[in-house]
Amino acid sequence: MRFLLVTLVFALSVSARCTRRQLKEQALPVTGQKQAAQNGPGLLSNATGGSAGDLGNAGSSSASPSSSPLPSGSSTTPASGMSTSASPSQSSGATSNPDSSDTTATGSGGTSTDSESAGAGSGNCGALKGICFNGGMKMSMYDKIKSATEWITFQLKMPDGEASERTKQDHVPMMAFAEHVKDAVEMVNGPNPPPWMLTFNEPDFSYMGWTPKMTPEEAAAAIKPLLDKPGTSTKYVAPAIVFIDGDWHDKFFAACGCKDFFSAYNIHQYHKESSEVINQVTSFHNRWNDKPLWITEVAPGNANCTLSWDQAGSFMKDIYKFAKNSGFVDRVFWNSGNQLTNADENVCNSWLVDTQGNPGPLLEMFENVDCS
């Protein structure tokens, strides 16, 4: 997933961010690397903001994959409030392990893969309008975004705090890392299993060495307990990778024999121009077209942030309209629901509410998006 993420104190949860800081590898920002990875043959060239797994957010690469066949999740923890994602989003997922009494799922995650039939939404968008929250999210923030139909962060449980019934109902849990598999199994086999669950966040990229990286074979071994005990009603979204033109998915599905286990694919996208996102999404679908697609992180990607709020709003409208008319995109989670406070430069003017939950310049535009 692309950069976004985090939340600190890995041991005991905190919601992670869906965006990430601009990094450098050989003088090239991580966002640029991810974007470059997303620009394959036939795609727009010189992309500067997209990613492959975020679709692009996580590309740079830092830490090497764990040598253990079952990575625990991470020996190091992301700094709080930092976003991670390779393509632009490498998840943080930092989270506490829910105990059996805490594994009650609180997400509707949409009860249908059909964006036409699931969710109320607005502007003829159906269930498309999801929100990705980063570190610092307050439980009251989601209720400020009236037209959203679902929300995610990088953990199985919701962040601490009192939540409305709507907030509980619309939460889609994420099994971001290998260390979360045990709790995911308990959740989906518990009394209130979620309709949907996201799986590994950008396993092909490690954000500054803080988030765990997994080879396809390690991920296949890590997910096996969930394959063995998937529950009876939860549907699963495939891991979101950073480099969409690579062979991570091919090797993962070959190793786990679990391609049919998943009900949807998942990518992240961060580019300066909406046309670049549309090209990347279309390219991915041309290769992986046997299931619906979820875009669980998307925003204008612009390391120097030269886009105005109006331009960011136009970008947003283009993406949602494309998704609705694509025939294959079922969910689009805008990043970010909350204002980023760590100078993360992987996104540009994309937050909807500020750190206190007050409306930002983009909120009204999000509420009024017309997907028709």
Side-chain angles (χ1 to χ4, degrees):
M1 290 187 142
R2 272 185 176 172
F3 274 138
L4 317 157
L5 317 119
V6 262
T7 130
L8 190 140
V9 191
F10 226 18
L12 290 178
S13 82
V14 173
S15 60
R17 252 187 198 168
C18 299
T19 56
R20 36 190 93 116
R21 259 183 209 193
Q22 179 182 8
L23 299 177
K24 291 183 179 180
E25 180 176 85
Q26 297 179 346
L28 181 62
V30 170
T31 45
Q33 294 171 4
K34 293 176 182 179
Q35 293 169 345
Q38 291 180 333
N39 289 328
L43 299 180
L44 292 179
S45 61
N46 301 321
T48 59
S51 63
D54 238 19
L55 264 176
N57 238 8
S60 99
S61 136
S62 50
S64 59
S66 165
S67 57
S68 154
L70 268 172
S72 65
S74 90
S75 54
T76 53
T77 61
S80 133
M82 231 175 207
S83 90
T84 68
S85 149
S87 47
S89 83
Q90 185 82 349
S91 100
S92 84
T95 101
S96 55
N97 296 328
D99 37 68
S100 55
S101 63
D102 245 338
T103 54
T104 300
T106 56
S108 84
T111 55
S112 166
T113 52
D114 182 357
S115 59
E116 293 285 344
S117 61
S122 69
N124 197 32
C125 294
L128 278 173
K129 294 175 72 174
I131 298 293
C132 179
F133 284 100
N134 292 288
M137 177 205 181
K138 295 179 174 63
M139 295 309 299
S140 61
M141 289 178 173
Y142 181 67
D143 284 327
K144 302 292 180 67
I145 308 171
K146 305 299 184 184
S147 65
T149 53
E150 293 167 331
W151 65 277
I152 61 172
T153 185
F154 298 85
Q155 54 192 44
L156 288 166
K157 295 198 303 179
M158 296 189 301
D160 294 336
E162 188 172 345
S164 68
E165 286 306 310
R166 172 181 178 247
T167 298
K168 294 176 184 177
Q169 178 69 15
D170 291 353
H171 176 233
V172 182
M174 181 188 296
M175 185 188 76
F177 305 125
E179 65 177 9
H180 303 151
V181 174
K182 179 178 181 294
D183 297 316
V185 171
E186 291 180 4
M187 178 180 280
V188 299
N189 288 282
N192 297 294
W196 285 95
M197 180 175 285
L198 301 176
T199 59
F200 303 137
N201 183 57
E202 298 180 353
D204 60 333
F205 175 79
S206 179
Y207 177 60
M208 294 186 70
W210 286 331
T211 55
K213 183 176 177 181
M214 290 188 285
T215 66
E217 293 75 19
E218 289 170 338
I223 203 171
K224 190 174 186 305
L226 184 64
L227 301 180
D228 292 341
K229 295 187 65 177
T232 59
S233 60
T234 300
K235 293 181 180 180
Y236 299 92
V237 181
I241 58 172
V242 171
F243 300 104
I244 59 172
D245 293 327
D247 60 1
W248 195 95
H249 270 145
D250 302 83
K251 291 181 177 179
F252 170 69
F253 292 135
C256 69
C258 63
K259 184 179 179 184
D260 292 340
F261 175 79
F262 299 101
S263 297
Y265 293 116
N266 182 10
I267 61 176
H268 298 168
Q269 280 290 291
Y270 297 88
H271 289 283
K272 183 176 180 179
E273 303 292 338
S274 59
S275 58
E276 297 172 22
V277 172
I278 292 170
N279 277 350
Q280 287 284 15
V281 171
T282 302
S283 177
F284 181 88
H285 177 70
N286 286 341
R287 182 178 180 188
W288 301 97
N289 54 23
D290 61 309
K291 309 177 195 300
L293 176 65
W294 287 30
I295 304 172
T296 54
E297 291 180 25
V298 66
N302 183 1
N304 297 314
C305 202
T306 58
L307 295 180
S308 68
W309 286 103
D310 284 342
Q311 288 173 316
S314 294
F315 176 104
M316 172 192 290
K317 292 174 185 176
D318 290 346
I319 298 306
Y320 277 104
K321 186 169 184 177
F322 159 75
K324 178 62 184 286
N325 293 299
S326 69
F328 62 87
V329 178
D330 274 6
R331 301 287 194 279
V332 177
F333 289 78
W334 184 258
N335 184 42
S336 168
N338 57 317
Q339 184 178 12
L340 307 179
T341 58
N342 68 346
D344 194 321
E345 296 180 345
N346 291 291
V347 295
C348 179
N349 291 339
S350 68
W351 53 271
L352 304 184
V353 300
D354 68 16
T355 57
Q356 301 305 309
N358 300 310
L362 204 59
L363 179 58
E364 185 176 359
M365 287 183 263
F366 179 85
E367 302 285 37
N368 293 328
V369 164
D370 186 349
C371 295
S372 58

